[in-house]
Amino acid sequence: MKRRDFIKGGTVGLAAGAAALAAPAAFAEKTSPRLRWRLAASWPISLDTVYGGAEFFAKRVGELTGGRFSIRVYAGGEIVGGLQVLDAVQQGTVEMGHTASYYYIGKMPSLAFDTTLPFGMNYRQQNSWQSFGGGNDLLNKEVFSQFNIVSLPAGNTGTQMGGWFRKPLEGLGSLKGLKMRIPGFGGKVMARLGVNVQTLAGAEIYPALERGVIDATEWVGPYDDQKLGFYRVAKNYYYPSWWEPSTQFSLYVNKTAWDKLPKEYQAAVRAAAAEANVRVMAHYDAVNPPALKQLIDKGVTLRPFSKDIMAAAQKNAFELYEELASKDPTWRKIYAEWKKYRDMEYAWFNVAEQGFADFAFPQVQRTEL
C-alpha cells in the first residue's frame, strides 16, 4: 500500500494520530500544493487559553502536512473585529476563523446551538451531540450552509462562572434595571428578567465596568477573568453560569475554499480541530483552580445565584425556545433534535456523574481552594 493511499484512508479525528505520523513524509511530495491561509480569531493574544487554541490548531495543521499547508493566526482587531469573524470567513476575506457562533445570533438564532444555550449541555454532552447525535452535520446542513461556511468544534471552556457584580444580588427582584454585559441567549433571558443588557467586545468591558457604565459583566472563568482585571472593581463573583453550561468555540472554513482543498488537507484540518477541542478544555481545567484561589486571596467573594433567580431563568429560557420554535422552521428542526439529546444526556448524567459528584465534591470545601 502506498503511503498516500494510507493517509487517504486514515481515520479522521483524534484517532488520526497513527496516520498523522506518516503525514509529513507523504505531504513532502511535490504533488501536494503549498498553501498559505489566514485565520481571523475573535480573541486577544492575552487570552492564551482560547487564542492559544487557535494557534495550536494552525501549528498542528502545519505538522500534519509536512509544512505544506501553513495557516497564520490573527487576533481580534488585526484584520477584522472580534465580532466580525463570521462575515470575514463568509465573504472570503480570510479562509478561516476561530470564534463563538452565538456572537452572531442576530443573523440567525440557530447559530446558538453551535456554542451553547442557557440550561443546555455541558462540555461532554455537547461533544457527544456534535459527534454522535448528528449535531455537527445538522448545523452544517441547516445553518452554516447559508453562510458558505463549514464549522467544526475546536475548543470549549466548560461550565463558566456567573460573572462579576459590583453589589451583591438580593434575589430575583434585584436584577431589574441592572446594567450587565452578557451576549447570546443568556442576554435574551436576562432581558426578560428585567436586566438592561449590554453587548461589548472583550477589550471594552473593563473600562465600562470601572466607569460604572455597567453594573456587572460575565466573561469566562477565573483564569481569563483575572487577566482582564474585573476583580479590581467588582468583588462579587457569582456562579454558576446557567447561560453557559459549556461554551464551544468553532473553527470556520470558507466552504468554497474548503471544497478546493485536497482530501488529505481536509483530514488534517479535521484532526487538528478535534485535538484543539480537547486541548483547550484541558487547559482551562488546569489553570482555573489556581486562578480562583488567587482571586479569593485578593478579596473576591464567591456567591451562588439564588434559587429564585435560577428557577425564573430556566422557565424564561424554555419559554423563549418554544416561542422561537413556533415561528422559525430552522430553529424548530434543530431544537427538537437538540432537546431530545439533551434530555437523554441529563437523565444519564443524573445517575452516574451526579451521583458521584454529590458525594465526592462536597468533601473538598471551597475554602480549601
Side-chain angles (χ1 to χ4, degrees):
M1 179 182 292
K2 294 181 180 179
R3 287 179 298 172
R4 178 172 291 279
D5 293 336
F6 176 77
I7 295 298
K8 287 182 178 179
T11 303
V12 176
L14 292 178
L21 294 175
F27 281 110
E29 298 174 9
K30 293 182 179 179
T31 53
S32 298
R34 286 193 175 275
L35 298 179
R36 300 290 182 268
W37 279 19
R38 301 190 300 175
L39 183 154
S42 287
W43 334 111
I45 294 174
S46 61
L47 297 182
D48 58 311
T49 42
V50 57
Y51 182 82
E55 287 192 314
F56 171 82
F57 161 79
K59 177 175 178 286
R60 287 297 288 141
V61 170
E63 292 171 346
L64 292 170
T65 59
R68 300 189 72 83
F69 188 3
S70 174
I71 300 168
R72 181 175 175 182
V73 179
Y74 293 85
E78 288 188 319
I79 294 180
V80 295
L83 303 183
Q84 278 105 39
V85 171
L86 185 146
D87 289 337
V89 177
Q90 179 183 8
Q91 296 162 8
T93 304
V94 294
E95 293 88 358
M96 289 180 162
H98 193 250
T99 189
S101 297
Y102 71 171
Y103 288 154
Y104 315 106
I105 60 172
K107 297 177 180 290
M108 190 177 191
S110 295
L111 284 161
F113 289 106
D114 193 52
T115 307
T116 191
L117 283 172
F119 301 97
M121 291 184 260
N122 67 16
Y123 165 70
R124 283 176 52 192
Q125 295 162 351
Q126 176 79 359
N127 271 347
S128 180
W129 178 63
Q130 288 268 6
S131 300
F132 291 95
N136 188 244
D137 290 339
L138 182 63
L139 290 169
N140 275 304
K141 179 182 178 182
E142 299 295 335
V143 178
F144 290 105
S145 62
Q146 300 190 41
F147 297 95
N148 193 39
I149 284 174
V150 173
S151 179
L152 298 169
N156 206 300
T157 66
T159 304
Q160 295 192 4
M161 290 292 282
W164 300 86
F165 292 73
R166 283 177 165 273
K167 297 179 180 179
L169 298 174
E170 302 296 336
L172 182 61
S174 60
L175 291 178
K176 294 188 183 300
L178 187 83
K179 295 173 291 187
M180 181 176 183
R181 181 270 180 193
I182 176 170
F185 273 81
K188 289 183 178 294
V189 174
M190 278 293 198
R192 293 167 75 108
L193 299 179
V195 173
N196 181 353
V197 171
Q198 310 288 320
T199 301
L200 301 171
E204 302 171 358
I205 301 174
Y206 182 85
L209 191 63
E210 185 180 39
R211 297 195 308 268
V213 175
I214 55 176
D215 305 309
T217 185
E218 63 83 51
W219 184 241
V220 177
Y223 184 73
D224 287 347
D225 292 8
Q226 183 173 217
K227 281 177 172 288
L228 296 183
F230 302 136
Y231 66 91
R232 297 189 183 99
V233 289
K235 296 293 187 181
N236 301 287
Y237 201 17
Y238 275 81
Y239 66 91
S241 174
W242 46 262
W243 53 88
E244 297 191 54
S246 75
T247 301
Q248 180 187 292
F249 305 125
S250 297
L251 174 76
Y252 287 176
V253 188
N254 177 276
K255 190 175 187 303
T256 303
W258 172 262
D259 289 342
K260 294 177 182 178
L261 277 181
K263 296 299 182 183
E264 297 92 337
Y265 286 10
Q266 289 184 355
V269 168
R270 290 185 182 278
E275 283 189 70
N277 196 37
V278 174
R279 183 183 177 88
V280 172
M281 184 68 258
H283 191 183
Y284 273 113
D285 281 340
V287 297
N288 274 329
L292 183 57
K293 184 179 187 306
Q294 290 163 11
L295 287 169
I296 292 172
D297 290 344
K298 292 173 181 176
V300 168
T301 300
L302 289 178
R303 299 182 184 275
F305 283 119
S306 62
K307 291 183 178 180
D308 62 339
I309 289 178
M310 296 289 287
Q314 185 178 52
K315 176 177 180 292
N316 277 272
F318 281 91
E319 287 177 352
L320 177 59
Y321 303 157
E322 295 295 337
E323 289 169 12
L324 281 167
S326 70
K327 57 187 179 184
D328 183 332
T330 301
W331 176 276
R332 181 165 59 248
K333 183 173 185 177
I334 299 173
Y335 177 62
E337 297 298 320
W338 174 88
K339 189 173 187 302
K340 181 171 64 176
Y341 206 86
R342 170 210 181 262
D343 291 350
M344 178 185 74
E345 291 294 303
Y346 268 36
W348 160 238
F349 272 64
N350 190 41
V351 175
E353 300 291 333
Q354 195 62 41
F356 174 76
D358 285 345
F359 174 78
F361 291 176
Q363 296 182 33
V364 180
Q365 301 297 318
R366 294 190 184 96
T367 54
E368 296 181 32
L369 287 165

